[in-house]
Amino acid sequence: MDARRSSTRTLLAGLATAALLAGSAGAASAADASPGAKPAGDGARALCKREPKIDKRIDRALKRLDAGKGRRGSVARLQQRVDNAKKAGHTEIATFLQGRLDTRESLKKNLQDRRKDLAGVKTWCAKNDDGKKAGGSKDSDK
């Protein structure tokens, strides 16, 4: 039994030492990255490259939000749940769901604004050879 206890203690001591070393190495690497470092560019080339994927993601999210009452995640379905809670007299549930509904509606507005902004990015990318023509736009900020 003493051998088992001894090996357990040795294992725990080894793990504690490894954790301390890993923690100090992480702190040292974090210290190397100066917090005041400025980015080398605006990341235009990377954004131009990701634009189609971002556009698809926004479209998919808006499609879900605009779907009918039968689609989970839609504004209409959550509105129906709020109405059902009010009809049933569950005021606390209705209040909670109304907060979620307000958030979801603001998300929809935000996504619509991002779609408009992304259209401008797409136009800019087309005019500037996907960010390659613009000076100082390196891919360091992906």
Side-chain angles (χ1 to χ4, degrees):
M1 244 217 282
D2 289 328
R4 184 180 295 163
R5 205 177 274 170
S6 173
S7 65
T8 302
R9 285 182 187 161
T10 305
L11 176 66
L12 290 176
L15 288 174
T17 305
L20 286 173
L21 290 174
S24 63
S29 65
D32 291 341
S34 60
K38 295 180 182 176
D42 62 357
R45 190 180 299 172
L47 185 59
C48 289
K49 184 178 178 182
R50 290 195 39 76
E51 182 273 328
K53 290 180 182 181
I54 295 170
D55 191 35
K56 286 179 185 178
R57 186 182 308 159
I58 290 172
D59 285 343
R60 190 172 55 236
L62 284 172
K63 184 178 177 182
R64 173 176 253 188
L65 290 170
D66 289 335
K69 295 177 185 177
R71 173 79 169 157
R72 291 181 67 193
S74 71
V75 172
R77 183 181 180 105
L78 192 51
Q79 180 63 56
Q80 182 64 45
R81 290 180 64 195
V82 170
D83 294 342
N84 290 345
K86 287 179 182 177
K87 285 179 190 174
H90 302 151
T91 339
E92 294 82 6
I93 304 298
T95 302
F96 176 78
L97 292 175
Q98 184 63 49
R100 287 181 59 191
L101 180 62
D102 295 342
T103 300
R104 197 165 291 175
E105 287 173 341
S106 69
L107 173 64
K108 182 178 173 182
K109 169 94 172 77
N110 187 7
L111 288 172
Q112 289 168 341
D113 292 344
R114 287 183 64 195
R115 178 191 269 170
K116 290 176 190 173
D117 294 343
L118 194 60
V121 168
K122 184 176 184 177
T123 303
W124 184 91
C125 289
K127 289 180 182 177
N128 292 286
D129 192 27
D130 289 332
K132 295 174 187 168
K133 288 184 180 178
S137 60
K138 297 181 181 175
D139 284 339
S140 63
D141 294 322
K142 289 185 182 177

